[in-house]
Amino acid sequence: MRIALLEDEPEQSQHVQRIICESGHSCDAFETGQSFLSSVLHNNYDLLVLDWQIPDKTGIDVLKNVRAQINWPVPVLFLTQRDSETDIVSALDAGADDYIAKPARAAELIARINALSRRSQSAQNTAQLCFGPFVINTQQRSVELHGEALVLTDKDYELILFLFQNQGRLLTREALLERVWGLNRSINTRTVDTHMSRLRRRLGLNPDNGFRIKTIYQRGYRLEALSQQALSHKSPEPDKGVKQPQVKAANGR
């Protein structure tokens, strides 16, 4: 997992980073709420760890900004010296998923992180996901558009699933290469751009179906919902009076 840490005390930040990295995860650390939010808004993180007392904002303010501005359910863990019942309730009510009092104990911290990761993956791996006219079946690894099955390559399916699971989130080319293709972030390739162009044309990711893939200049891509119906993840009844063309692609399995 890629984790973002907000901690203004250098010694404490290094301690937490070391625990996280030794467990096999990666961790980017930030000392201010503004730098943390800027990175979280423009990068791909699987989990956020927040301190409460930081120089420019409170951890609660940062958490509220995350929940208000980012349209994906990233898990958030508070790690702070404030451990009163009132503080814990305030953090959970603001959208935190878990809460640990400092000092961080390595085994407990990693256990909490892994538990949050499992819960997040379980929520994302629901057998059938509905996004407007798109229905994704994660057990059958299939996608339907207006009730018509799309014939997909493995990479097409994995890319579509990742886009919809991170709807509204900026996904850098490096993050897509790592998650979908399993390639190192330092590799410079046009693979992502080629696949995105193909998905736009052939899989109906366009305003007519309530979604678009937006290119963010020099950054990456973001799948955007263009209607409240699409945003609510409810699949509408197909219009039986209009025949939808079936989309076909070569089977890459």
Side-chain angles (χ1 to χ4, degrees):
M1 284 196 301
R2 188 181 182 195
I3 296 171
L5 168 66
L6 176 58
E7 172 58 69
D8 66 311
E9 297 180 8
E11 186 174 334
Q12 183 67 220
S13 178
Q14 292 171 13
H15 173 63
V16 175
Q17 276 188 290
R18 183 168 58 253
I19 293 173
I20 291 173
C21 292
E22 286 179 353
S23 72
H25 305 300
S26 64
C27 182
D28 297 335
F30 305 90
E31 296 182 357
T32 66
Q34 188 58 47
S35 63
F36 178 87
L37 285 170
S38 178
S39 185
V40 168
L41 286 169
H42 295 93
N43 290 286
N44 181 42
Y45 291 103
D46 302 296
L47 186 140
L48 311 180
V49 179
L50 305 181
D51 188 12
W52 189 302
Q53 296 169 296
I54 47 179
D56 58 336
K57 300 175 184 286
T58 68
I60 293 291
D61 289 335
V62 171
L63 175 56
K64 289 179 178 178
N65 271 273
V66 167
R67 294 305 189 209
Q69 297 184 48
I70 302 174
N71 186 34
W72 85 93
V74 58
V76 174
L77 171 66
F78 254 90
L79 177 61
T80 175
Q81 291 178 338
R82 301 179 61 150
D83 59 357
S84 71
E85 182 179 3
T86 300
D87 291 333
I88 295 173
V89 170
S90 296
L92 295 176
D93 284 346
D97 297 282
D98 204 349
Y99 197 104
I100 301 180
K102 292 179 180 177
R105 294 178 294 184
E108 180 184 7
L109 177 59
I110 295 307
R112 298 290 186 99
I113 286 174
N114 290 339
L116 287 176
S117 176
R118 287 194 299 271
R119 293 208 295 268
S120 177
Q121 289 298 317
S122 177
Q124 292 183 4
N125 290 335
T126 303
Q128 184 166 287
L129 306 173
C130 298
F131 302 89
F134 293 90
V135 178
I136 303 175
N137 189 306
T138 59
Q139 292 182 346
Q140 299 178 3
R141 292 177 60 85
S142 65
V143 181
E144 293 183 356
L145 172 59
H146 294 291
E148 295 283 347
L150 306 182
V151 182
L152 307 172
T153 67
D154 283 343
K155 284 295 178 282
D156 286 339
Y157 168 80
E158 291 167 9
L159 184 55
I160 292 168
L161 179 62
F162 192 57
L163 284 169
F164 274 110
Q165 286 180 332
N166 293 277
Q167 182 188 150
R169 183 180 185 181
L170 170 61
L171 301 173
T172 64
R173 289 176 176 84
E174 292 79 11
L176 288 164
L177 282 171
E178 182 180 18
R179 295 304 184 84
V180 178
W181 282 271
L183 299 178
N184 186 281
R185 292 170 178 269
S186 63
I187 295 176
N188 182 14
T189 177
R190 299 280 299 176
T191 298
V192 174
D193 299 320
T194 300
H195 272 74
M196 286 298 186
S197 178
R198 190 159 69 103
L199 288 181
R200 281 194 180 102
R201 295 193 312 269
R202 305 179 68 179
L203 300 179
L205 290 171
N206 56 55
D208 289 341
N209 291 316
F211 292 92
R212 69 175 177 182
I213 298 176
K214 184 174 182 180
T215 303
I216 310 300
Y217 181 64
Q218 292 187 337
R219 297 292 300 170
Y221 297 92
R222 181 168 60 232
L223 180 65
E224 298 180 340
L226 302 178
S227 68
Q228 287 301 312
Q229 187 177 49
L231 190 60
S232 66
H233 295 188
K234 292 181 180 179
S235 181
E237 289 295 324
D239 185 349
K240 296 180 181 179
V242 179
K243 183 174 179 59
Q244 296 292 334
Q246 184 170 358
V247 182
K248 296 183 179 292
N251 193 332
R253 298 185 183 180

